Amino acid sequence: MKLKNICLGIVCIAALSSCNDKMNYHEYTTYDKEYVFSDFGRTAGFVNNIYSYLDEDLPSLVSFASACDEAEMAVNYSVILDFTNGNWSALNPKSLWGYYSGIRAANYFLKEAQDLDFYDLRFAQDYESQMARFNRYQYEVRLLRAYYYFVLVRAYGDVPFTTEVLTEAEANSISRTSAATILDFIANECEMVAPELPITYTGIPDASGGDNPETGRVNRGTALALKARTLLYKASKLFNESNRLEWWREAALANKEVIDYCKSNSITFGKYTDLWGANNYKASEVIFARRVGDTNGPEVNNFPIGMENARSGNCPTQTLVDAYEMIDGSTPNANDPYTGRDPRLKMTIAVNGDKWPDTNPNPLETYIGGRNGLPISYATPTGYYLKKYLDGSTDISATGSTGGKRHSWITFRLGEFYLNYAEAVFKYLGTADATDTDFRISAREAVNTVRNRTDVKMPGLPEGMSNVDFWTRYKRERMVELAFENHRFWDIRRWKEGGINSIDRMEITKKTNGSFAYKRSTKALVWEDKMYLFPIPDVERRKNKNLTQNEGWQE
């Protein structure tokens, strides 16, 4: 995507996938201020298209889960493999530069929509309610712009930054702004817009509220959540090499604010499995979800090979399975490695012998020579298939009657912020059990709150753990709780503790007596420390000579 898209020119917004069921995107092939801002409907369409740039990582052939150690992509032609096979480069950059299109649209709206009163429409019956809705748009758009900048900084570090609508020449001469400066901007924007956004759109007496509220719009919780996540990243080693403790304190306070907000607004832990399925956007701990719409894409791309139309896709690794602790603290039985594990394993990962999915007439056979195992082309290379974020009742066969079902991507949820808080307060106070007047819940207690959710009930981490032991178990807990939610890929980078050199697999063979043998194997991956940050796309540097390259990515 060209950086010149920041510039002011023809406003060209294409309708992309829907944020939610009721936010209808309008496809514009033009136009100028007079066209877009002379009608409430066109203005709403313009804002809804800014929403359309929101990201999601539902399990697909390009999911980040298979670009780290959560999963291995079974489909050998997937471009996600370039992250780990040595083909990643500035010429093959896996570019996220397209978010500048969303930023450019946001800047355009914030400039051109200032002081509009739609005077010609003042006698319309719903004028006041439409104006109330319009006056909120500026805060929604500022928050979306902040989110898009976060996505860019998370990937690239220092990036070009502007809140203005630039000419093409200006856009192609802009230098990179420091990550710290942009992260501060994001946090400040979130703090400023949060009070201007509703806690919920239900009951607001205007065109987007009432008894049938328009869902999918950012709210106050979204702003607080983005601020908290941003400050956690700012405090992490990738952006905080000197380990400024005050940055960790700021992160802990921001994440505590999210937890307090959730307590005040009945956002609470429910069942872990409520986090996916057709109604997951209604789950009790959801702060904000991107409504993707009706699709069977995740199921087609991830149901087990051996089922009609299934592609296997993101196959959980043995590395991930190892993160699921035994309930009683024991060592897993080598001949029965899944019994007695953290309940989230069974909810997240399909193992040999599972009846998965519901539309599969046979139990899974992931062993060598099995119905769903190697050497069948594209069968799981790890011994496992994915459950999380998939709807097991979907029939993807040619005669299937269920079709695509609603899917929503959870951008922010309560569980993340207990873990974020635990990490920040641990780094700030120095031990897992420490508290003070600002932080009355210890890092250990915060982690245990997550482990104690309704359908998990894992034993709490004990008092008196060494810092090394707590940090090891914290990272394991984060890997388990947030599996396949697009955190692991980025956590590895922000921690800057070493990359992913390999993943473990499980090779299962069936014995003549019907029992199974389990043998671990390892697959080497390509990692270089330059991969903590993405390369600046070569095509952008050719257009803009002021764009420096991230260290190690020079061709």
Side-chain angles (χ1 to χ4, degrees):
M1 186 64 67
K2 296 180 179 180
L3 181 57
K4 69 181 181 183
N5 283 336
I6 297 175
C7 71
L8 172 60
I10 294 176
V11 181
C12 181
I13 305 291
L16 301 181
S17 58
S18 176
C19 283
N20 61 68
D21 292 345
K22 296 179 66 183
M23 288 171 61
N24 296 318
Y25 294 150
H26 297 260
E27 185 168 354
Y28 295 111
T29 55
T30 168
Y31 288 104
D32 56 18
K33 175 181 177 180
E34 285 69 27
Y35 178 82
V36 174
F37 299 117
S38 62
D39 175 82
F40 283 123
R42 287 193 292 271
T43 302
F46 191 92
V47 172
N48 289 353
N49 273 287
I50 298 174
Y51 270 91
S52 74
Y53 293 94
L54 281 170
D55 60 340
E56 54 89 0
D57 196 36
L58 289 172
S60 70
L61 297 186
V62 291
S63 293
F64 278 113
S66 289
C68 61
D69 55 357
E70 285 182 315
E72 181 177 353
M73 176 53 61
V75 179
N76 59 16
Y77 54 81
S78 168
V79 296
I80 202 67
L81 296 170
D82 290 346
F83 279 103
T84 58
N85 66 11
N87 288 334
W88 195 14
S89 71
L91 293 172
N92 181 23
K94 310 304 169 192
S95 178
L96 300 178
W97 223 248
Y99 285 100
Y100 277 113
S101 292
I103 291 169
R104 182 265 304 152
N107 288 343
Y108 180 87
F109 176 86
L110 292 169
K111 176 184 178 182
E112 300 297 345
Q114 289 186 64
D115 303 321
L116 287 179
D117 60 6
F118 293 91
Y119 183 78
D120 292 344
L121 304 177
R122 66 192 183 281
F123 296 119
Q125 185 176 3
D126 62 348
Y127 177 76
E128 289 188 8
S129 62
Q130 291 279 21
M131 282 302 298
R133 182 183 184 186
F134 169 75
N135 288 331
R136 279 199 306 274
Y137 284 162
Q138 61 182 303
Y139 304 109
E140 296 178 44
V141 170
R142 285 171 64 181
L143 183 55
L144 292 170
R145 179 179 64 182
Y147 183 81
Y148 300 149
Y149 269 123
F150 170 79
V151 172
L152 287 165
V153 171
R154 180 176 64 178
Y156 297 103
D158 304 349
V159 293
F161 173 79
T162 183
T163 58
E164 304 296 328
V165 180
L166 305 180
T167 66
E168 182 174 344
E170 289 170 335
N172 285 335
S173 63
I174 190 171
S175 300
R176 298 170 71 181
T177 297
S178 72
T181 297
I182 303 174
L183 293 172
D184 283 341
F185 166 82
I186 295 167
N188 290 335
E189 281 286 272
C190 291
E191 188 169 341
M192 292 174 69
V193 306
E196 307 297 335
L197 293 171
I199 294 171
T200 176
Y201 287 86
T202 301
I204 296 177
D206 60 42
S208 63
D211 295 329
N212 189 25
E214 186 176 53
T215 57
R217 292 198 175 276
V218 294
N219 56 21
R220 189 173 305 170
T222 314
L224 297 178
L226 178 57
K227 175 186 174 183
R229 186 187 288 176
T230 296
L231 291 178
L232 181 76
Y233 272 72
K234 178 186 172 185
S236 299
K237 188 175 182 180
L238 183 62
F239 301 112
N240 185 17
E241 285 283 357
S242 59
N243 194 32
R244 297 176 180 89
L245 291 182
E246 182 60 26
W247 288 11
W248 284 112
R249 180 177 182 274
E250 292 172 356
L253 286 171
N255 282 279
K256 178 179 180 293
E257 186 178 10
V258 175
I259 293 170
D260 292 342
Y261 168 87
C262 291
K263 288 179 179 177
S264 299
N265 293 286
S266 301
I267 300 172
T268 60
F269 284 109
K271 292 182 178 180
Y272 190 62
T273 50
D274 288 345
L275 297 174
W276 57 99
N279 294 314
N280 67 329
Y281 67 99
K282 297 180 180 179
S284 61
E285 72 171 284
V286 171
I287 299 170
F288 178 74
R290 188 201 195 282
R291 303 285 295 281
V292 176
D294 293 349
T295 177
N296 64 4
E299 290 73 37
V300 169
N301 288 320
N302 293 276
F303 273 177
I305 208 73
M307 293 183 64
E308 186 178 358
N309 294 324
R311 298 179 183 171
S312 295
N314 301 276
C315 298
T317 63
Q318 182 63 40
T319 306
L320 175 59
V321 171
D322 289 342
Y324 293 85
E325 300 173 346
M326 296 292 288
I327 297 173
D328 62 4
S330 64
T331 300
N333 183 337
N335 297 315
D336 185 16
Y338 313 117
T339 301
R341 295 260 194 175
D342 184 324
R344 288 170 292 187
L345 171 63
K346 186 174 182 60
M347 302 173 198
T348 304
I349 299 172
V351 305
N352 184 54
D354 277 358
K355 180 62 173 62
W356 172 259
D358 301 341
T359 50
N360 187 356
N362 305 294
L364 283 179
E365 298 179 357
T366 65
Y367 55 86
I368 305 299
R371 184 181 284 106
N372 314 105
L374 295 171
I376 300 173
S377 296
Y378 308 132
T380 172
T382 66
Y384 306 105
Y385 286 104
L386 179 63
K387 287 184 178 178
K388 190 171 179 180
Y389 261 121
L390 307 183
D391 191 322
S393 66
T394 300
D395 185 352
I396 64 171
S397 69
T399 58
S401 59
T402 56
K405 297 191 177 180
R406 178 186 292 138
H407 288 73
S408 299
W409 174 255
I410 297 176
T411 306
F412 297 116
R413 66 175 178 90
L414 178 59
E416 174 195 344
F417 296 95
Y418 268 99
L419 294 175
N420 291 356
Y421 170 87
E423 180 176 339
V425 79
F426 170 68
K427 294 289 189 177
Y428 174 59
L429 295 179
T431 70
D433 296 318
T435 59
D436 67 8
T437 55
D438 289 322
F439 308 113
R440 298 184 181 275
I441 300 175
S442 70
R444 179 185 58 82
E445 290 169 327
V447 172
N448 288 345
T449 300
V450 177
R451 291 167 67 88
N452 193 42
R453 67 160 60 244
T454 303
D455 51 350
V456 176
K457 299 296 183 183
M458 282 294 288
L461 303 185
E463 292 186 60
M465 299 175 68
S466 70
N467 283 359
V468 171
D469 286 346
F470 174 78
W471 185 239
T472 298
R473 293 192 70 179
Y474 167 78
K475 290 190 293 184
R476 185 186 302 159
E477 180 65 26
R478 193 172 175 93
M479 189 177 189
V480 165
E481 173 69 16
L482 302 177
F484 298 96
E485 295 183 38
N486 198 20
H487 287 280
R488 179 67 176 174
F489 178 91
W490 303 106
D491 283 344
I492 289 167
R493 285 161 169 78
R494 67 179 180 84
W495 288 330
K496 210 174 180 183
E497 293 183 355
I500 307 166
N501 297 300
S502 64
I503 52 174
D504 287 339
R505 300 161 160 174
M506 182 61 75
E507 182 180 295
I508 307 170
T509 55
K510 189 173 185 179
K511 301 178 182 178
T512 55
N513 64 3
S515 64
F516 297 96
Y518 300 88
K519 178 183 177 182
R520 301 171 66 98
S521 62
T522 298
K523 178 185 177 181
L525 303 179
V526 174
W527 173 268
E528 298 178 63
D529 284 350
K530 67 181 182 180
M531 295 177 182
Y532 286 125
L533 292 173
F534 280 41
I536 303 296
D538 182 73
V539 65
E540 300 300 333
R541 296 190 66 230
R542 290 178 184 274
K543 295 197 300 283
N544 183 351
K545 301 303 180 183
N546 292 326
L547 276 182
T548 56
Q549 183 57 274
N550 278 327
E551 184 178 353
W553 289 107
Q554 293 82 359
E555 295 296 332

